[in-house]
Amino acid sequence: MSSKMQSKCFIALLVLLSIFSCFEAQLQVGFYSKTCPSAETIVTQQVTQAFGSNPGIAPGLVRMHFHDCFVHGCDASVLIDSTTGNQAEKDSPINNPSLRGFEVIDAAKAALEAQCKGIVSCADILAFAARDSIALVKGPAYSVPSGRKDGRVSMMSDVGGNIPSPVMNVSALTTLFSLKGLTQDQMVTLSGAHTIGVSHCNIITTVDDRLYNFNGTNMPDPALNPSYVPQLQAACPKASTSTSSVVNMDPVTPAVFDNKYYSNVLVNKGLFTSDWTLRTNAATAAGLNANANNQAQWFNKFTAAIVKMGSIPLDAGAVGEIRTNCRVIN
Ligand code: HEM
Ligand SMILES: *[C@@H]1O[C@H](CO)[C@@H](O)[C@H](O)[C@H]1NC(C)=O
Ligand SMILES: *[C@@H]1O[C@H](CO)[C@@H](O)[C@H](O)[C@H]1NC(C)=O
C-alpha cells in the first residue's frame, strides 16, 4: 500500500471510529424496547405507587434528576452512598437532608433486576422517574431518550461548584448553565420546576436570608413582595434555622406543575434570590413574561430543555456501567 493510501485509510478509520463513538453516546427513545420491554412501565408503576402514599416524591425526583445531571453528567452519581473511604454527592449539605425519593429508585431498580438483570441503568431509571413525576403533578408528557451508563465516581466535594446556589445572580446562573450546554433561556425555562415542591426554611433564613436579616440589614429582602413576607415568616419562624421545617415554593398551586411560578416571580413572590434575579436582566425578564403568558409554549420549551439537561454526558473518558445496586459502584 502506498503511504498516500495508508494515510487515506487511516483517515477513513478515524472517521469510522468517531461515528461509532458518536452512536455509542447517543441516547435513544425506546432504548430498552428489545432488551427489557417493560422497563419504562415498571418505573412508572413504582413512581405512581410511591406518589400515592407521598406526593412529595414527585418534586423530589425532579430535583434529584437535575442534581444528578449537573454533577459528572446524568450518571446516577447522586445515588451512590458514602463509604468509609468516600463522602459521596448525596451527603453534601446541598443534598442532605433535602434530597428525597431515593427509596423509589431502589424499588424500581429491584423490580427491574428481578425482570431483566443487569440491563437498565440507574441513571435511566432516574430520568424516567422524573418524567413520570412531572406527569403525576399534571405537567407535560414527554419521551425520554435512554441508554445512559452509571458513573463510578461520586464525591461530595464536586457538588458545590456544579449545583447553582440560591444566592446566585442572573449572570452567575447563566454561566453555570452554559457550562452544562444549556442556554440562558433554557435556564429560565427549567427554573419553572420551582412551581412544585418545597424548600427547607434554613435556605431563606440563613443561606439566602431573605426573611429576617437580608444582607446584614436586620430586615427582610426589599425585593420580596411585602404581602408575601408575613406568609413566609409564619411558615418559617425566626428560630427555624434547622432543616426540619419547610415552605412551599409556589404559594398559589404548590402541587401542580403549571406556569404559576412565572407569575409569582413577576410579582416578587419567587422564593429565592435566584428566582427574583431573573427579573433583573432584559432577556430573562422577557422569558418570565412569555412563560407566564403562555403555559402551552412553556410546556414545549420545558420538555425540550429537560431532555437536553437529561443528555448531559458522563465526563469525557469516564467508563460507565450498569449498576446492580443504585447505591453502590459495582
Ligand atoms: C436555577 C437555579 C436553581 C437553584 C438556585 C435552585 C435551588 C433550589 C433550592 C435551594 C431548593 C430547596 C432545597 C431545600 O429544601 O433545601 C430547590 C428545590 C427544588 N428545585 Fe431547584 N434550583 C434551581 C434550578 C432547578 C431546576 C433546573 C430544577 C429542575 C428542572 C429544579 C427543581 C427543584 C424542585 C422540584 C425543588 C423542590 C424539591 C422538593 O420539594 O423536594 N430546580 N431548588
Ligand atoms: C454576580 O455575581 C458574581 C459572582 O458572585 C459577581 O462577580 C458579579 O459582579 C455579579 N454581577 C452583578 C451584575 O451583580
Ligand atoms: C449588601 O450590602 C452591601 C454593603 O452595604 C452593599 O454594597 C450591597 O449592594 C448589598 N447587596 C444587596 C444585594 O443588596
Side-chain angles (χ1 to χ4, degrees):
M1 225 184 325
S2 75
S3 76
K4 201 172 171 189
M5 241 179 103
Q6 259 178 355
S7 69
K8 269 190 184 164
C9 282
F10 184 64
I11 288 167
L13 190 65
L14 279 184
V15 168
L16 269 179
L17 277 176
S18 59
I19 289 173
F20 183 70
S21 64
C22 226
F23 271 119
E24 209 179 33
Q26 201 71 52
L27 304 178
Q28 78 193 65
V29 172
F31 181 81
Y32 297 109
S33 59
K34 292 213 169 63
T35 52
C36 185
S38 42
E40 298 194 34
T41 319
I42 288 174
V43 175
T44 306
Q45 278 166 356
Q46 293 296 329
V47 174
T48 307
Q49 192 183 322
F51 179 82
S53 47
N54 176 13
I57 62 109
L61 290 168
V62 175
R63 181 169 179 242
M64 195 186 286
H65 179 45
F66 161 50
H67 283 206
D68 181 31
C69 293
F70 267 50
V71 185
H72 296 302
C74 312
D75 67 339
S77 52
V78 74
L79 303 178
I80 295 289
D81 278 347
S82 292
T83 58
T84 37
N86 182 56
Q87 292 211 284
E89 286 172 29
K90 65 159 60 147
D91 284 324
S92 158
I94 294 171
N95 291 330
N96 186 2
S98 57
L99 216 55
R100 48 178 173 166
F102 293 106
E103 348 52 68
V104 186
I105 304 300
D106 291 337
K109 180 63 177 178
L112 283 166
E113 286 299 294
Q115 180 115 356
C116 359
K117 198 169 165 41
I119 302 288
V120 184
S121 68
C122 297
D124 281 342
I125 296 174
L126 182 48
F128 296 146
R131 179 266 314 271
D132 295 335
S133 295
I134 289 169
L136 284 164
V137 288
K138 304 184 167 58
Y142 60 98
S143 301
V144 175
S146 50
R148 296 169 188 79
K149 290 277 175 63
D150 299 325
R152 296 178 47 83
V153 176
S154 177
M155 291 188 293
M156 182 173 111
S157 55
D158 287 335
V159 178
N162 285 295
I163 298 296
S165 142
V167 301
M168 277 183 170
N169 62 33
V170 65
S171 41
L173 289 171
T174 303
T175 304
L176 185 48
F177 275 69
S178 77
L179 289 171
K180 306 297 171 188
L182 295 162
T183 66
Q184 184 181 61
D185 191 55
Q186 286 172 326
M187 183 265 289
V188 175
T189 297
L190 289 167
S191 294
H194 287 174
T195 180
I196 52 168
V198 299
S199 170
H200 288 75
C201 285
N202 68 311
I203 303 289
I204 51 170
T205 59
T206 59
V207 181
D208 180 17
D209 189 355
R210 306 187 77 194
L211 291 194
Y212 298 104
N213 187 18
F214 182 71
N215 197 22
T217 57
N218 253 317
M219 297 285 287
D221 183 348
L224 269 176
N225 187 313
S227 76
Y228 192 31
V229 172
Q231 206 179 322
L232 292 175
Q233 289 179 334
C236 296
K238 195 163 190 171
S240 66
T241 52
S242 83
T243 47
S244 54
S245 43
V246 295
V247 59
N248 288 328
M249 293 204 292
D250 172 353
V252 186
T253 52
V256 182
F257 200 93
D258 57 16
N259 65 344
K260 291 287 188 302
Y261 165 83
Y262 295 102
S263 40
N264 293 336
V265 172
L266 288 169
V267 295
N268 292 340
K269 292 184 179 184
L271 197 55
F272 307 131
T273 293
S274 58
D275 300 313
W276 169 79
T277 191
L278 304 178
R279 298 196 64 195
T280 65
N281 165 286
T284 56
L288 293 175
N289 273 302
N291 297 339
N293 290 330
N294 191 337
Q295 177 165 285
Q297 189 184 48
W298 171 60
F299 274 6
N300 285 334
K301 292 198 318 187
F302 185 87
T303 55
I306 198 165
V307 166
K308 185 82 200 297
M309 183 186 91
S311 64
I312 300 174
L314 196 56
D315 303 340
V319 179
E321 62 186 18
I322 307 294
R323 237 175 261 154
T324 305
N325 173 345
C326 292
R327 295 173 180 267
V328 185
I329 292 163
N330 285 353

